[in-house]
Amino acid sequence: QPISHINKRQEIQYPSIQPTNHPTIPMAFKMRGNLSSSTIPEDSISTEVTETPNSESNSSHSPFTSEEKLPRLSPASRARLLTRKLSRMLLVSKPMKVLPPIERTPIAMIRFTKNATPELINLVKERMVEARIVIVSEEEDVDGNVMLGISTTQQELEHEAEHLNLYKPLTLRGLNESLALFEGTIIMSQFEINQIESHKMAKRSNDDFAVYDSKNVFTSSDRVRIMNSLIESLPILQPGTETSNLARKLNETLHLPPNEIAARCHKMYLFDTLRKNDFIDVLDPLHSTHLKNQLLQATLKVSSDIPIQAYREYYGEEVAFYFAWMKFYIRALLFPGITGLVIFIIRSIRGVTIDTDSLTPFHGLLTFLWAVMFTQFWSREEARLAYSWGTWRAEGLKQTFNVRHEFKGTSRLSEVTKMEEKYYPENKRRLSYVFSAVVTLMLLAGAFFVMILSLNMQGYIKHKHENTSWYQPNSHVEDDCHHPFHYEFFASLSEKGNIFDSQSTIRSTLAVILHVALVLSMNTGYRIIAKRLTDWENHESQETYNNSLIFKRFFFEMFDSYIVLMYLAFYEQDVAKVRSELINVFNVDTFRRLLLEGVIPFITTKVRLRNKLHSIRDLKKNDDLNQNQQSVMEEEAEKEPYEEFDDYIEMIIQFGYITLFASAYPLAPFVAIMANFVELRLDAFKITHVHRRPWTMSVSSIGVWASLIRCIVWASAITNCMIFCFTSRQMVQYLPKFFTVDQSGEHDLKDGDGWIVVFIVFGIERLLLVAGIILTLSIPDIPEDVRIKEQQKDYIYTRMYHLDRSEKRAQRNAEEKKS
């Protein structure tokens, strides 16, 4: 029978394990106080062991498999064993191949707040048991908050997988003679319980880190996704009941009239209501210590490839797509990285500057064409991955009607489903869009002013403009060339001897660091504002909500990152300043990412581990190892939730630096290769040890990020042409007769020839766009192998359907003849 609830002091007996060459932690404990070992998720009791199918056959080989043998260990010995386990936090000696039984494995955790009374907590637990949600463990954190480790049964897991239309590999068996050639073919099909044997027979992934359950069907990410569906779809009232003790208890808190209890609670979801009323503050899946360390160890190996399939099987498609995109992006950067490095070497040998180099424009041309092909080939790789994962064109009709719990509207009869639905007028949402745009533009104006002050502090804006175009017509007064964006106090900070001395390498770097810090702080502040604006827009689906939020934040952060470079390139028209600022910001921002996402989290993890080891040494002296030990669930609850947006936005902003300003900093792709190689592994460390485990999301692509990348690609055609002609003297090297160059090196268009230069520049830009369109059309988004497999599946299903109809018709005719 499934375990519905275990008290704190109740003994939990785990299956025995195979012996290893390393000391392991006892597999049976009695829960005392906050003892955490009994609530370790999945396989994290020991990082060296693997569960065996027969738990009894190996019990005699291990000295730590029975509760009777545990007292033979002294407290010091137990402390040493736990110390060794903690010190080997990232080491895995034997890969895990089978997931432990789901009834004994906490898949997710819930932490109640002080607002939740013991009566309410017990009622919630009773409601979960009614819905076949298994309460594997229960404990309290140091603040006295109740925490539950929850799971479900294997039977409920299979039923919910069928309800979700979860796609799994299926081996075709018992086909008609006309389809005999397809016998044994593996296709992606919706999971059905009556075909579970065919799902079992489907060939598993060739990945060495593929881990399935004992039935060889579900992965760890499948369990998390199904568990999320069970949690989010759980209503307050059980279907068919009018009221309950839980409904009445919540009615007291929500202040609903007594006659509205049944009507409201049938339409209200339990955990959504608990979150909104601050009864719970954590509801997230739990990490599997063994699996996540096994995955991280494989990622950190420089000699091996990134196990994308393993990321999909542990974190789900959304996270796996990010790591797949990063892997594809790093490899694709080799081409512009090599060309940029070659141009840099040649320019260094020739002794020319970026302003007068005749080869740099070709790097901008090649980078644009490379970026177009990059987006097209990634679309092909995306389709190939989505098809192999069962999400290609399989997100389904079900998600179309998946309404957010936070969506508010009036009730009406749906014209599509003929069922009652919430409706929100589109004109109200358009007004909210206008309001969001006005607020964002006001904040962008403030960000532009901050950037102007930053340029003054970096010494880019002088009291008198160096460009002769600032002189007023028919004027010989020197004061007429004042710079309109010059602020004397801030500009004086960059003068010689002051704090941001532009002539000093160290002091000028401080100004750049301050600039990056200002951008980071503004982006952090706008993150909160953007979320509130998107909430106010009242989106119906989670997809439109996410897209709106991503667009707002991307637009703001893109403005913060590029506005200074755009200003220097097209307002100051000084490619040397553009290159200097781009190099400084690019390098400092790269260092900032490595510091904040790698070094600091690594040090924090080490300090936390050291403190735990010191605590163990103290417990040795007190002869009590089990007191005040922080639990695994408590450690996970204290971590920050994982947000994929920051990982994507950093890489796409970097992609913009590489493509939009390719003619100003050709070496950027080469630097990005090395930085991203480290970044990818830091992201893996961050998601495993710094953040909570994210919920599994079934997606077929990287979503709106692909569209944003394409916008940057097409915009790079005009920016590089503008840098080629107006910002630098690169065009002067090819068409000197259209320009005049003074003694200081400043160039200007000859009178009467400006229209010719403009025509040439925009003609080149149009040719680039045409070439990009031709490349886009000539490279199909869907690979040939995926198209063939999909057509083959459609043919098999169609043929099977017609054969089934023919058999039924023949059977019916035979019965009619008999009658």
Side-chain angles (χ1 to χ4, degrees), residues 38 81 101 174 177 190 201 325 366 432 481 487 521 584 604 663 690 728 778 814:
S38 59
L81 291 177
E177 293 182 359
Q190 294 181 5
M201 292 184 62
W325 182 84
L366 293 175
S432 63
C481 61
Y487 292 90
S521 61
N584 290 334
T604 304
S663 296
V690 179
S728 68
S778 61

Side-chain angles (χ1 to χ4, degrees), residues 617-632:
R617 294 191 186 101
D618 295 337
L619 292 173
K620 290 181 187 179
K621 300 176 182 179
N622 298 332
D623 195 23
D624 190 355
L625 184 63
N626 295 327
Q627 290 182 353
N628 301 323
Q629 184 178 334
Q630 190 182 33
S631 72
V632 171

Side-chain angles (χ1 to χ4, degrees), residues 364 368 566 570 659-660 663 711-727 758 761-766 768-769:
F368 170 75
M566 294 290 185
F570 308 127
T659 54
L660 294 173
S663 296
C711 291
I712 292 176
V713 170
W714 295 110
S716 66
I718 183 63
T719 57
N720 283 286
C721 287
M722 296 286 285
I723 292 174
F724 168 65
C725 174
F726 302 112
T727 305
V758 172
V761 170
F762 284 98
I764 296 174
E765 185 257 348
R766 293 299 187 275
L768 284 176
L769 293 179

Side-chain angles (χ1 to χ4, degrees), residues 291-322:
L291 287 178
K292 75 172 184 179
N293 289 340
Q294 180 176 314
L295 185 56
L296 179 61
Q297 188 182 44
T299 305
L300 294 179
K301 287 183 179 179
V302 179
S303 58
S304 61
D305 200 6
I306 303 297
I308 301 301
Q309 182 67 22
Y311 275 96
R312 183 255 175 177
E313 292 171 355
Y314 183 70
Y315 289 109
E317 290 81 14
E318 187 176 41
V319 173
F321 264 119
Y322 168 73

